[in-house]
């Protein structure tokens, strides 16, 4: 799949933002006033920037309002609704904590549940696609939730929890890569065309000599050659280095900042791989 | 609503004969011609006369070579367009309700006034049947020429999809695949029509008819009329054979067999 910057930024930042919301809703960290303002501003900035980035993926965004209408069948619609519901639920919680020194604990807890559901619905947009075997597995939503949890804990200053979670998400990511590598589906022209029973099938002439939307979007092959290097970078940055910083060194703003920066780089690398490595079954028809 | 209808009154669709398709791309051109001027926004071409031309098409024809074991290879031309699946994943993933399957005839359509061009429906389609129009930013797909098949302003013989109407080899058939007594259903039953990628669980309405088995020539290779030359030709052959160098001697039984064996290896 085409690793469009819009979807990489969207899944990376909104995952971090809603992960942070999930902690803030539970009163972690227990702050108020200007400190609370900084935390909520960060959560809103990350999630809103992510959501805004996702709209750059749209060919015709002026119809975007309709995207909230199909919650009964569409995970993308559910994601939109949950994201907005989460952002709205946290508004009174944030106002209470920042300006009124008031704790809306129940609403905060509801907001946390909403934030987790938002990340889950995001993951299901990809998991539901049978056409992309690398995404269509139970580990995909687990991975998205763990990423959001680890990133959220990091941003919420929960140093030891973040250290443990970043290690867990790294393990889950390694497992997902292993599972995904065993699920490569493309290239079976005989199965795709139904002609395999007659004999060996090969592409004689493609349907078009020019590129097209299908090839650009779903038969993307650039950038796969650095897979091993990117996996190494992601493994180190997502979990190993931040965990080392957080668990081995004394807590402090600087170590936390370095851990967050490393983690975000790692998440972005793993998201690039998530898209770039995903093989769509339609590529089979092109003999790829 | 992007929920699928539990059942449709008709299952209109195409039956594509992989045996008779000659790969002329006439259906591709007829489809583009009709659909760029009718339902929805035009099928745009980007940079059509430039160095990197590309365009939106609802139907495309691939050509494959199938090599049966121990027999001659055969060419199979393979038109591919929307299969109007009964369990169409492209419909249920749509967040806006733009993608829908009609209860009355099973046609899968896109309401462009609702489409946001997110592309998720194209991602969900295993067949590459949906293309986002790069100019209008909305999703385009086969409409089964919904604006032809019910169009009473057209002569009756034209009330079929443009691709079917134009096909010069009769490789495309249109009809109600939900009625077991329809011509298309009988054709599918007779010829062993099959679903594309059944493992995707989409239950396509469109069917493909497999290429008929090719008959094999039951005639042995031509035998040499003379294995030993005589007379003047025999003298000439021997005389030329004495000149050093690789010469072509007239074929003998042995050389003929060697040639046959070598050609079989290839």
């Amino acid at each position: 799949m085409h690793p469009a910057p819009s979807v990489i930024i969207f899944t990376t930042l909104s995952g971090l933002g809603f992960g942070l919301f999930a902690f803030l809703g539970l009163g972690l960290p227990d702050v108020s006033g200007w400190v609370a303002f900084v935390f909520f501003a960060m959560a809103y900035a990350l999630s809103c920037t992510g959501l805004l980035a996702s709209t750059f993926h749209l060919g015709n965004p002026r119809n975007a309002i309709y995207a909230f209408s199909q919650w009964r069948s569409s995970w993308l619609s559910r994601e939109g609704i949950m994201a907005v519901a989460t952002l709205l639920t946290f508004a009174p919680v944030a106002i209470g904590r920042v300006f009124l020194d008031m704790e809306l604990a129940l609403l905060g807890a509801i907001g946390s549940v909403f934030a987790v559901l938002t990340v889950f619905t995001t993951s299901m947009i990809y998991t539901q696609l049978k056409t992309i075997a690398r995404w269509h597995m139970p580990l995909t939503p687990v991975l998205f939730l763990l990423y959001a949890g680890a990133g959220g804990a990091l941003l919420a200053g929960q140093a030891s929890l973040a250290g443990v979670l970043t290690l867990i998400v790294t393990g889950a990511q390694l497992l997902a890569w292993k599972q995904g590598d065993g699920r490569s589906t493309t290239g079976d022209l005989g199965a795709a065309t139904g002609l395999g029973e007659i004999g060996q099938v090969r592409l004689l002439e493609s349907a078009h000599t020019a590129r097209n939307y299908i090839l650009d979007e779903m038969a993307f092959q650039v950038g796969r050659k650095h897979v091993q290097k990117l996996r190494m970078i992601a493994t180190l940055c997502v979990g190993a280095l931040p965990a080392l910083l957080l668990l081995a060194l004394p807590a402090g703003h600087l170590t936390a900042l370095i851990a967050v920066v490393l983690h975000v780089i790692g998440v972005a690398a793993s998201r690039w791989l998530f898209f770039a490595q995903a093989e769509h079954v339609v590529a089979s028809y092109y003999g790829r | 609503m992007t929920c699928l209808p539990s059942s449709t009154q008709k299952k209109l669709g195409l039956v594509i004969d992989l045996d008779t398709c000659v790969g002329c791309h006439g259906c591709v051109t007829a489809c583009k011609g009709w659909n760029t001027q009718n339902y929805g926004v035009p099928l745009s071409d980007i940079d059509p006369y430039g160095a990197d031309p590309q365009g939106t098409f609802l139907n495309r024809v691939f050509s494959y070579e199938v090599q049966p074991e121990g027999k001659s290879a055969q060419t199979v031309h393979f038109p591919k367009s929307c299969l109007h699946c009964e369990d169409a994943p492209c419909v249920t993933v749509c967040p806006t309700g733009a993608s829908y399957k009609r209860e009355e005839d099973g046609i899968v359509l896109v309401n462009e006034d609702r489409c946001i061009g997110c592309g998720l429906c194209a991602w969900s389609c295993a067949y590459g049947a949906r293309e986002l129009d790069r100019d209008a930013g909305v999703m385009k797909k086969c409409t089964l020429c919904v604006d032809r098949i019910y169009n009473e302003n057209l002569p009756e013989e034209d009330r079929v999809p443009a691709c079917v109407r134009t096909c010069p080899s009769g490789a495309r058939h249109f009809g109600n695949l939900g009625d077991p007594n329809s011509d298309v259903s009988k054709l599918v039953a007779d010829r062993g029509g099959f679903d594309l990628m059944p493992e995707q669980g989409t239950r396509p309405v469109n069917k493909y008819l497999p290429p008929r088995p090719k008959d094999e020539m039951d005639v042995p290779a031509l035998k040499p009329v003379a294995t030993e030359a005589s007379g003047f030709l025999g003298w000439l052959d021997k005389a030329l054979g004495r000149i050093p160098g690789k010469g072509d001697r007239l074929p003998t039984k042995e050389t003929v067999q060697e040639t046959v064996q070598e050609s079989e290896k290839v």
Side-chain angles (χ1 to χ4, degrees), chain B residues 184-227:
Chain B
V184 280
S185 296
K186 286 181 198 160
L187 191 60
V188 170
D190 286 352
R191 293 277 307 281
F194 65 91
D195 289 349
L196 276 198
M197 290 191 185
E199 70 280 3
Q200 288 282 328
T202 52
R203 294 198 294 147
V205 169
N206 284 15
K207 304 288 179 212
Y208 281 82
L209 306 180
R212 293 183 176 92
K214 299 280 183 200
D215 44 5
E216 286 290 304
M217 253 204 308
D218 196 19
V219 183
L222 281 181
K223 285 175 186 158
V225 282
T227 52

Side-chain angles (χ1 to χ4, degrees), chain A residues 3-271:
Chain A
S6 56
V7 284
I8 293 175
I9 294 170
F10 158 56
T11 56
T12 304
L13 295 190
S14 75
L16 288 167
F18 288 108
L20 177 55
F21 269 129
F23 282 92
L24 292 177
L26 300 174
L28 298 168
D30 187 11
V31 287
S32 60
W34 283 107
V35 183
F37 178 82
V38 171
F39 275 104
F40 277 108
M42 195 154 58
Y44 272 107
L46 286 168
S47 49
C48 290
T49 310
L51 292 170
L52 202 66
S54 75
T55 63
F56 292 123
H57 192 68
L58 304 180
N60 195 27
R62 66 185 158 179
N63 285 337
I65 191 74
Y66 295 117
F68 300 106
S69 66
Q70 305 301 310
W71 49 273
R72 278 190 231 178
S73 76
S74 167
W75 283 107
L76 182 51
S77 186
R78 289 170 197 163
E79 196 263 351
I81 292 166
M82 284 318 302
V84 171
T86 308
L87 295 177
L88 291 178
T89 307
F90 272 104
V93 179
I95 290 168
R97 240 184 258 172
V98 174
F99 299 108
L100 310 172
D101 201 17
M102 187 173 74
E103 185 59 42
L104 298 168
L106 182 63
L107 203 58
I110 293 171
S112 293
V113 173
F114 280 6
V116 171
L117 284 175
T118 306
V119 176
F120 176 70
T121 49
T122 306
S123 72
M124 285 309 291
I125 297 170
Y126 305 104
T127 309
Q128 68 178 335
L129 297 171
K130 262 190 198 172
T131 47
I132 301 164
R134 204 181 265 277
W135 294 351
H136 190 62
M137 51 187 196
L139 202 51
T140 305
V142 175
L143 203 57
F144 270 68
L145 287 168
L146 283 174
Y147 268 114
L154 255 176
L155 292 173
Q158 309 298 307
S160 48
L161 180 63
V164 175
L165 279 174
T166 51
L167 285 179
I168 292 175
V169 73
T170 307
Q173 178 64 79
L174 290 170
L175 186 63
W177 283 332
K178 193 170 178 298
Q179 279 191 4
D181 289 345
R183 292 171 146 243
S184 179
T185 51
T186 49
D188 192 352
L189 253 174
T193 57
L195 299 170
E197 283 177 27
I198 304 173
Q200 189 73 33
V201 185
R202 76 177 183 96
L203 181 67
L204 190 63
E205 201 174 354
S206 177
H208 45 101
T209 51
R211 62 195 181 88
N212 74 343
Y213 174 75
I214 302 289
L215 280 179
D216 288 351
E217 188 80 358
M218 278 163 278
F220 185 88
Q221 285 184 316
V222 185
R224 286 189 193 163
K225 64 177 175 178
H226 296 306
V227 165
Q228 289 311 324
K229 285 177 205 163
L230 282 167
R231 282 187 178 180
M232 192 61 80
I233 291 170
T235 307
L236 289 174
C237 291
V238 166
L241 294 176
L244 195 70
L245 284 170
L246 294 167
L247 298 176
L249 295 177
H253 278 103
L254 188 63
T255 49
L257 182 68
I258 296 170
V260 166
V261 171
L262 284 171
H263 181 74
V264 174
I265 292 170
V267 177
S270 84
R271 285 292 147 81

Side-chain angles (χ1 to χ4, degrees), chain B residues 3-149:
Chain B
C3 291
L4 287 162
S6 54
S7 67
T8 55
Q9 292 165 32
K10 283 184 185 174
K11 294 178 190 172
L12 294 187
L14 300 175
V15 175
I16 294 166
D17 192 340
L18 298 177
D19 192 67
T20 43
C21 175
V22 294
C24 71
H25 292 240
C27 52
V28 178
T29 312
C31 167
K32 178 114 175 173
W34 178 266
N35 286 295
T36 208
Q37 298 176 30
N38 291 283
Y39 184 98
V41 298
L43 300 169
S44 68
D45 289 316
I46 307 292
D47 195 19
Y49 304 106
D52 186 22
Q54 60 164 312
T56 312
F57 288 81
L58 311 183
N59 180 34
R60 305 221 186 221
V61 181
F62 290 77
S63 295
Y64 298 109
E65 181 194 74
V66 188
Q67 176 70 65
E69 216 170 312
K71 292 181 182 173
S72 308
Q74 59 190 87
T75 310
V76 179
H77 302 291
F78 205 99
K80 203 153 57 60
S81 56
C82 172
L83 306 167
H84 298 279
C85 302
E86 289 185 60
D87 280 334
C90 56
V91 171
T92 50
V93 298
C94 177
T96 66
S99 253
Y100 62 106
K101 186 170 175 68
R102 303 200 331 163
E103 196 273 331
E104 61 266 41
D105 53 17
I107 299 178
V108 176
L109 288 176
V110 175
N111 175 359
E112 291 168 9
D113 293 333
R114 277 196 158 220
C115 178
I116 53 171
C118 67
L120 193 57
C121 55
W123 289 14
S124 77
C125 176
Y127 311 107
R130 286 170 169 249
E131 297 187 14
L132 189 81
D133 189 90
R134 290 253 156 93
D135 185 50
V138 294
M139 197 53 72
K140 300 298 289 185
K141 69 174 293 300
C142 162
T143 66
L144 216 57
C145 284
V146 67
D147 45 4
R148 285 176 71 100
I149 58 177

